[in-house]
């Protein structure tokens, strides 16, 4: 069991380009595009392949997000701690491989407004890469390009489309914003409230003096 998990920790991200391409094709072929509701549902489903393309940039080509995030935002002196491959796996799989597709399924059967939170989450997560670009010396960070080319534009267009076509009530829109914030905040809380104290306890956290 441990060997199988270790294999997943090392290789889960390699599936992202295939998932992105196949899912995009299936969305294009089988999700309706001839009605306002159909286009809205397509926009919700597109969050999945667009985000998998984002993860491909983070972890495969050019990759290096773990070392960047550890040594940058988390201020670690080592590239593979405190956020490990295992930690990255358990952060990404539930949210990006379970909840994002589930939002598309729920939107199909119970109404497209149930999936709008994915657009807000995608925008927030992608915007974090832009913020990190400016904070860390205007240097590239893995995920930045897809954030600018795919995630932020799709998120903005999705929200605009829903609002201009009256597909979401004010209350449902507020809930979508809150859920999107919670999804992004959960990752931030894990990083800065749990992993940073861990790195300090174990002695590989950079002090301000050693910046």
């Amino acid at each position: 069991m441990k060997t199988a998990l270790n294999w997943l920790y090392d290789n889960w991200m390699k599936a992202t380009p295939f998932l992105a391409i196949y899912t995009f094709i299936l969305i294009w072929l089988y999700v309706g595009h001839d009605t306002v509701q159909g286009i809205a549902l397509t926009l919700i489903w597109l969050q999945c392949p667009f985000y998998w393309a984002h993860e491909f940039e983070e972890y495969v080509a050019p990759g290096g997000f773990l070392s960047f995030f550890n040594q940058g935002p988390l201020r670690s002196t080592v590239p593979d701690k405190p956020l490990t491959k295992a930690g990255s796996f358990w952060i990404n799989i539930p949210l990006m491989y379970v909840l994002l597709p589930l939002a598309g399924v729920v939107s199909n059967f119970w109404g497209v407004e149930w999936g709008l939170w994915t657009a807000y989450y995608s925008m927030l997560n992608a915007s974090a890469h832009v913020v990190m670009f400016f904070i860390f010396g205007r240097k590239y960070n893995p995920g930045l390009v897809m954030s600018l080319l795919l995630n932020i534009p799709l998120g903005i267009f999705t929200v605009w489309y829903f609002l201009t076509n009256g597909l979401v009530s004010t209350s449902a829109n507020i809930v979508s914003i809150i859920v999107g914030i919670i999804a992004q905040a959960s990752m931030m809380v894990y990083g800065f409230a749990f992993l940073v104290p861990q790195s300090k306890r174990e002695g590989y956290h950079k002090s301000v003096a050693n910046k």
Side-chain angles (χ1 to χ4, degrees), residues 106-186:
V106 171
S107 297
N108 181 70
F109 290 103
W110 284 281
V112 290
E113 67 272 14
W114 288 96
L116 185 57
W117 71 269
T118 62
Y120 285 112
Y121 165 73
S122 185
M123 284 191 292
L124 287 170
N125 185 271
S127 296
H129 285 269
V130 179
V131 171
M132 289 188 290
F133 170 79
F134 288 103
I135 289 178
F136 296 99
R138 298 192 177 188
K139 295 180 180 179
Y140 167 81
N141 61 81
L144 178 64
V145 173
M146 291 297 101
S147 293
L148 293 172
L149 295 182
L150 298 181
N151 305 112
I152 293 176
L154 176 64
I156 291 173
F157 181 77
T158 300
V159 172
W160 173 84
Y161 189 85
F162 271 66
L163 294 178
T164 55
N165 287 283
L167 294 172
V168 60
S169 65
T170 300
S171 58
N173 190 42
I174 292 173
V175 170
S176 297
I177 294 171
I178 293 172
V179 173
I181 292 173
I182 290 173
Q184 175 63 17
S186 65

Side-chain angles (χ1 to χ4, degrees), residues 73-104:
L74 297 185
R75 300 186 56 76
S76 174
T77 57
V78 293
D80 56 350
K81 293 181 179 179
L83 181 60
T84 62
K85 290 181 179 180
S88 178
F89 175 87
W90 290 112
I91 288 172
N92 281 279
I93 295 303
L95 183 55
M96 272 57 103
Y97 289 75
V98 177
L99 290 182
L100 285 189
L102 183 61

